[in-house]
Structures are given as structure tokens and as C-alpha cells.
Amino acid sequence: MARALLLDALGTLVQLEPPAPALRRELRDRFGIEVTEDEAATALAAEIRYYRAHLDLGRDEASLAALRRRCAEALRSALPRSEATERVGIDALTSALLASLRFTAFDDAAPAISIARGAGWRVVIASNWDVSLHRVLERLELASRVDAIVTSAEVGARKPSPALFERALALAHARPAEALHVGDSIEEDVAGARASGIEPVLLARRPPSAVPPDVRIIASLSELAPIVTREP
């Protein structure tokens, strides 16, 4: 009977609200810059690509602040070029960018964690994220519900690397055979967990186009309840 439950964050426990409308408002209200929603979405896509390629550089507060400024520059470079966008200071643009990125918890996240903890499982969140994940989860009132949180930035390696799973197992005081890992990515979560000797559970909130053989699939975290409460 597995007794360590490892959980991915983005797409599993939390989601990013559509950021383009928020960015349009921030640019207009703060700087008087008008962009279309498509232009905002294009700029955000460039920023997100940059962030995903460099998120592990956000290891502490200083390196995170530097990473965020570089992300804001990536955003600026993809916005329609104008004197107004060039005049905006990098710190002000970074603040506008961060105000546009709003995370919310899925409705099934907190109940699933509570059920697992109540059944005696140690719950660790292990995610490809910078160190700000701790604050995000605190704000969403999920941090206090779990035993530990570990990010790829803190470990220096991201899923599917075994290093992040190994750190999560150490925090859970569990061996691979005693754990489950739940996430929404086949490449990062399923393949990474399997490579680490951990049983994966694929969370597919939408029907997946393809799934590796012999992988347990759930459509909601509520479906974890019978798994974590079953008798050994």
C-alpha cells in the first residue's frame, strides 16, 4: 500500500487564469498603452516561452527577481513597438506582468489533499516551478494542507529528471514503491515517475489523445479518494 502521494502543481492543483485580458487592463491603466487581446496574448506567449526555458534560475529571492525582469523584457520585445512601451521602466513592467498572472486552485484540490492526509498519506507537492510556488500555494491556502513542497528550481533539475522525485520521496520519508505521483503531463509526470520507480497516475481533465499502456487515468482529483482510502 503506497503511503506517499506526490502531486504536480500547474494543471493538477492550480490553474492560470486567462492572462491576456488582465495584461491589457494593466497596460492601459498603468501606462495608457492600448493593445488588442491578440497582441497581449502574443506577448504573453513569448514571455511564457522564455519563462519555461529559464524557470529553474529562480532559486531564491534575488535570482527570482532577476528572472522576472528578464521575463518582462521578453514580454516587451513581443508587444507592438512604440515609444510608450519603450519608456516604461523594467520594474514597472515587471509589476504589471506579475499582476496579470493570477493562479486559482481547482475545486477538487483541497478536498483530495485532505482525504489523503486523513487516510495517513504524506503529501508532497513536486513541480517544475521557481521558488515562488511556495507563496502561490500559501495564498491559495494549499501550502498548510501538505507535508512539503519542492520545486525544480530548488533541486536544480526538472521533471522528468529523477532528482525532483528523489527529493520529494526524501521529504515524504518514503521509498519509490511506497509512492504514487499524480500529474497532468505524460512526458514530465508519467515518464518521470516511472523512471524513478514510482507508480504514476495521469490526471486528464480533458480526454487525452494518447496514453502509455498500463497507466492509471483519472479525470478529477476526487477520483483519488477510493485509491488512498482502500485497505492495504
Side-chain angles (χ1 to χ4, degrees):
M1 177 67 175
R3 287 296 179 186
L5 180 63
L6 313 184
L7 296 168
D8 177 49
L10 187 62
T12 301
L13 297 175
V14 304
Q15 60 185 329
L16 177 64
E17 295 183 0
L23 179 63
R24 287 188 69 201
R25 289 192 300 271
E26 295 296 331
L27 293 176
R28 181 190 64 236
D29 296 347
R30 292 173 185 242
F31 316 119
I33 296 172
E34 295 285 353
V35 297
T36 67
E37 189 158 330
D38 284 346
E39 289 169 338
T42 297
L44 283 163
E47 184 275 330
I48 290 171
R49 284 194 300 273
Y50 184 89
Y51 171 77
R52 286 178 175 168
H54 300 88
L55 64 90
D56 295 324
L57 298 178
R59 301 178 298 273
D60 51 33
E61 290 304 315
S63 58
L64 176 60
L67 171 62
R68 286 173 166 174
R69 286 193 292 271
R70 292 195 297 272
C71 286
E73 286 292 5
L75 179 81
R76 189 205 303 272
S77 68
L79 286 169
R81 193 172 184 84
S82 69
E83 289 185 10
T85 57
E86 293 303 317
R87 282 198 306 267
V88 176
I90 188 58
D91 290 337
L93 186 58
T94 302
S95 179
L97 169 61
L98 294 177
S100 304
L101 304 177
R102 303 171 183 175
F103 294 95
T104 57
F106 286 108
D107 291 341
D108 55 8
I113 292 170
S114 295
I115 290 171
R117 291 287 302 281
W121 291 60
R122 292 183 62 82
V123 178
V124 176
I125 298 174
S127 190
N128 290 344
W129 206 301
D130 62 67
V131 294
S132 70
L133 179 61
H134 294 267
R135 290 197 298 274
V136 170
L137 296 175
E138 287 169 3
R139 186 168 64 252
L140 298 178
E141 300 183 350
L142 293 178
S144 61
R145 296 177 179 271
V146 302
D147 293 286
I149 300 164
V150 61
T151 67
S152 58
E154 293 165 294
V155 173
R158 66 179 70 182
K159 295 179 289 185
S161 168
L164 186 56
F165 294 98
E166 290 168 0
R167 178 71 65 84
L169 287 172
L171 292 169
H173 307 293
R175 298 186 300 272
E178 299 169 327
L180 296 177
H181 175 71
V182 182
D184 65 315
S185 167
I186 293 174
E187 178 181 344
E188 295 175 358
D189 296 304
V190 173
R194 278 186 160 174
S196 300
I198 300 168
E199 180 183 349
V201 177
L202 177 66
L203 175 61
R205 295 187 181 276
R206 295 191 180 109
S209 57
V211 179
D214 303 322
V215 174
R216 194 197 306 258
I217 303 174
I218 58 176
S220 166
L221 293 176
S222 62
E223 294 179 37
L224 285 175
I227 299 173
V228 300
T229 57
R230 72 183 187 270
E231 292 297 324

